[in-house]
Amino acid sequence: YKNITMGKSNQSSVTEFVLLGLSGYPELEAIYFVLVLCMYLVILLGNGVIIIVSVYDSHLHTPMYFFLSNLSFLDICYTSSSIPLFLSSFLTSKKTISFPGCGVQMFLSFAMGATECVLLSMMAFDRYVAICNPLRYPIIMSKASYVPMAAGSWIAGGINSVLQTSLAMRLPFCGDNVINHFTCEILAVLKLACADISINIISMVVANMIFLVVPVLFIFVSYVFILSTILRIPSSEGRRKAFSTCSAHLTVVIIFYGTILFMYAKPKAKDSSGIDKEQVTDKIISLFYGVVTPMLNPLIYSLRNKDVKAAVKNVLCQKRCLEGM
């Protein structure tokens, strides 16, 4: 792989990268191709349904479902930036991505990840106001408030992504061009740079503080107030109803941040055989984070949600009525 794009001189610049993926484990590729393809179709269908019913059903024109439709659109964009290429790599011996293509994939991955972190904190604030201050909810969470909140999430994620991607892609890559990952994951790409990456590391640490730590703290504080309010409700039925309105969001938050925490906080192997197993484990965890989480989001929000189920039925009924005419 090393000389695939290097030219005759060691100083030649890389024009494309090789995505190693599961190349060393051909027995797993067929299994993962079928699994990932099925999950990707579920992602497109599930999140697509959430977006459609949120737009067409007037009962779902609320802040919570506006944020949810944004989250669904984000999940479709995030997975579509990498999964089609990931699937095509199983069908061909050519497992390369162009230098600009790698930059685009990195930008979309960063933008969607940062946006989702902020968006989940906005959704936590929405649940906080709905439960802790229900009488003022229509005023605080008016359309003039929640639309800029969602737009701000996208803008913040986009700005962060432009910064991180531009810092990474300006580096010289004059050595190995093999990325030991499914996608152009930034840490895997930075390992290939033949220059000082301290600025990149510092900027990523700062970005992680802003887009991971701050939203987590915000969500945690919001749920402390939410739980304290729920526990003060006298009737058990009232407590159950109040908790059910935020249980889906809390589940998504736990899965999203739990996967990130497990990915980066687990101990590192020291021996070479352990390192190989660890790299495969890291790739599988990354796959879970990139595919399973977006697949679960619409299922979590719809399976126990009577409003979404009713909206889906209404949209289907309207479609049948139009076809009957």
Side-chain angles (χ1 to χ4, degrees):
Y1 290 132
K2 188 171 182 177
N3 297 320
I4 192 169
T5 61
M6 293 303 295
K8 296 179 180 180
S9 170
N10 287 334
Q11 298 301 314
S12 300
S13 61
V14 170
T15 58
E16 62 180 17
F17 293 103
V18 177
L19 298 173
L20 201 57
L22 290 172
S23 297
Y25 302 87
E27 68 278 3
L28 296 176
E29 289 193 342
I31 297 171
Y32 274 96
F33 175 82
V34 175
L35 283 175
V36 174
L37 177 61
C38 292
M39 287 190 289
Y40 182 54
L41 294 175
V42 172
I43 288 168
L44 296 179
L45 178 63
N47 287 289
V49 167
I50 292 289
I51 294 170
I52 290 170
V53 297
S54 296
V55 171
Y56 284 100
D57 194 299
S58 58
H59 296 95
L60 301 186
H61 291 175
T62 63
M64 183 176 76
Y65 290 106
F66 179 76
F67 288 131
L68 181 56
S69 61
N70 273 263
L71 185 65
S72 293
F73 179 69
L74 184 150
D75 284 337
I76 290 174
C77 292
Y78 179 76
T79 52
S80 297
S81 69
S82 58
I83 297 304
L85 180 66
F86 172 74
L87 291 172
S88 66
S89 69
F90 288 131
L91 303 176
T92 176
S93 58
K94 186 180 179 182
K95 302 178 186 294
T96 59
I97 183 171
S98 67
F99 191 82
C102 185
V104 170
Q105 193 177 83
M106 196 183 299
F107 168 79
L108 291 172
S109 176
F110 254 112
M112 299 304 109
T115 302
E116 182 157 0
C117 290
V118 181
L119 201 57
L120 287 173
S121 67
M122 296 296 102
M123 295 172 79
F125 178 74
D126 172 72
R127 293 298 83 206
Y128 161 75
V129 177
I131 293 174
C132 300
N133 206 345
L135 296 178
R136 297 196 64 202
Y137 181 79
I139 300 171
I140 297 173
M141 295 303 296
S142 64
K143 192 171 184 179
S145 299
Y146 67 77
V147 172
M149 287 167 65
S153 302
W154 286 93
I155 292 169
I159 291 172
N160 175 61
S161 186
V162 168
L163 175 64
Q164 302 300 334
T165 305
S166 60
L167 285 174
M169 301 310 285
R170 70 174 179 81
L171 293 169
F173 297 91
C174 50
D176 200 342
N177 69 326
V178 179
I179 299 175
N180 191 14
H181 212 275
F182 294 117
T183 63
C184 284
E185 200 269 334
I186 190 164
L187 294 178
V189 174
L190 290 179
K191 289 178 182 178
L192 306 181
C194 50
D196 181 30
I197 60 170
S198 57
I199 294 177
N200 301 77
I201 300 301
I202 292 170
S203 68
M204 286 179 63
V205 169
V206 173
N208 286 340
M209 291 295 293
I210 296 171
F211 290 97
L212 281 175
V213 178
V214 173
V216 166
L217 290 175
F218 187 87
I219 292 168
F220 177 76
V221 172
S222 297
Y223 273 99
V224 167
F225 284 107
I226 288 170
L227 289 174
S228 65
T229 301
I230 290 175
L231 292 174
R232 288 199 301 267
I233 297 174
S235 68
S236 59
E237 180 66 18
R239 289 195 296 270
R240 187 190 65 79
K241 285 183 178 179
F243 185 75
S244 67
T245 63
C246 58
S247 59
H249 174 259
L250 188 59
T251 304
V252 169
V253 167
I254 291 171
I255 293 172
F256 180 78
Y257 285 106
T259 308
I260 294 175
L261 182 64
F262 182 77
M263 196 186 308
Y264 292 106
K266 66 186 181 64
K268 302 294 180 183
K270 294 182 179 179
D271 61 293
S272 58
S273 62
I275 290 172
D276 289 338
K277 291 178 182 178
E278 183 182 90
Q279 288 177 343
V280 176
T281 304
D282 286 345
K283 291 176 184 179
I284 292 172
I285 294 171
S286 176
L287 188 66
F288 178 89
Y289 171 75
V291 182
V292 179
T293 304
M295 181 188 72
L296 291 177
N297 286 351
L299 297 177
I300 292 168
Y301 273 102
S302 61
L303 287 177
R304 295 179 60 191
N305 193 311
K306 294 179 181 178
D307 293 335
V308 173
K309 289 179 181 178
V312 171
K313 289 179 181 178
N314 289 337
V315 171
L316 291 175
C317 288
Q318 289 175 12
K319 184 181 177 183
R320 287 186 190 130
C321 290
L322 290 171
E323 288 175 351
M325 293 173 65

